[in-house]
Amino acid sequence: MTAQVTVGLDGSDESLAAARWAAEEATLREVPLRLVTVEEWPNTPEVPLPYARDLADRAEGLLRDEAARARKEHPDLEVVTERARGRAADELTASANEADVLVLGSRGLGGVLGFVVGSVSLAVVATARRPVVLVRAQGAEPAAGAGHIVVGVDLRHPCEPLLAFAFGEAARRGVPLRFLSAWTLPASYGYAAAVDPVIGEELAAGVRTGLEDLLSPWRATYPGVVTTAEAVVGSAAYRMIEASRGAGLVVVGRRTRRLPVGAHLGHVAHAVIHHSPAPVAVVPLV
């Protein structure tokens, strides 16, 4: 792995917004920015040579223009460019695995609160060994260094990479961290919880205690980072999407699970990347 922030470019407004977000992220991390375009191969059908040259010229122009923009806005930032050839998902996943973080764009669904995450982006998010950030079109989210960070925590599974990423981001940006851990009453409790609200209060208290214990050593390591921890009742996906409004970044984890049909993206991460208006970082877990 090389210390760098990589962004995938295809010329869309979303990928250009991702490039700007990535440039700010690279500046915060004090690492180079790598701009990558991918020419699909061998799936690209044969095209006349003049048209192929035109596509190549456009790709070069895109890289050149975005590199120039990044250097102008961040004079001390080292910027490198690369034209890759192959299957986009494979090339971008390889790029993600070589970087601190990979940044991609995701397209909005007009006036509906929802975002299109293409098959390539989903494949990369589901298989990359490093964090992947999905960014909305420019103007739909705060800048890379602005806004608080919302983090979803599942106390049932180890999440050290998630906490390391979240605290590192908050420390670099100087913004607060808001941790959420969702819980629901087990079905076995039946009507008992409705009759005795103390049961729910005890369960919530247990989640809060677990969350505080989990965060305690990280707070000691990052004393300058302001953190809040909340045990919220209900669907984890819904509560994370609700909390994402107004955030500068949302961070969710992804456990590595291989299925016969390929890598699997959990329902919470899947819902958040499709419905959070803020940029979403998906962090692979053990």
Side-chain angles (χ1 to χ4, degrees), residues 4-5 30 72 98 118 126 172 197 270:
Q4 62 184 357
V5 172
E30 299 182 333
K72 180 179 179 180
E98 295 173 357
R172 280 185 289 270
H270 192 276

Side-chain angles (χ1 to χ4, degrees), residues 182-239:
W183 64 276
T184 56
L185 286 169
S188 59
Y189 278 65
Y191 291 105
V195 175
D196 185 2
V198 173
I199 294 177
E201 294 172 2
E202 291 176 348
L203 288 173
V207 174
R208 283 194 296 270
T209 299
L211 193 52
E212 293 290 341
D213 291 344
L214 179 69
L215 298 178
S216 180
W218 291 92
R219 285 168 166 163
T221 303
Y222 292 89
V225 176
V226 177
T227 64
T228 58
E230 304 172 39
V232 294
V233 64
S235 161
Y238 174 79
R239 297 307 296 264

Side-chain angles (χ1 to χ4, degrees), residues 243-264:
S244 70
R245 293 169 174 80
L249 179 67
V250 177
V251 184
V252 294
R254 173 188 61 77
R255 295 196 307 280
T256 302
R257 290 182 290 178
R258 288 283 179 177
L259 300 178
V261 294
H264 175 71

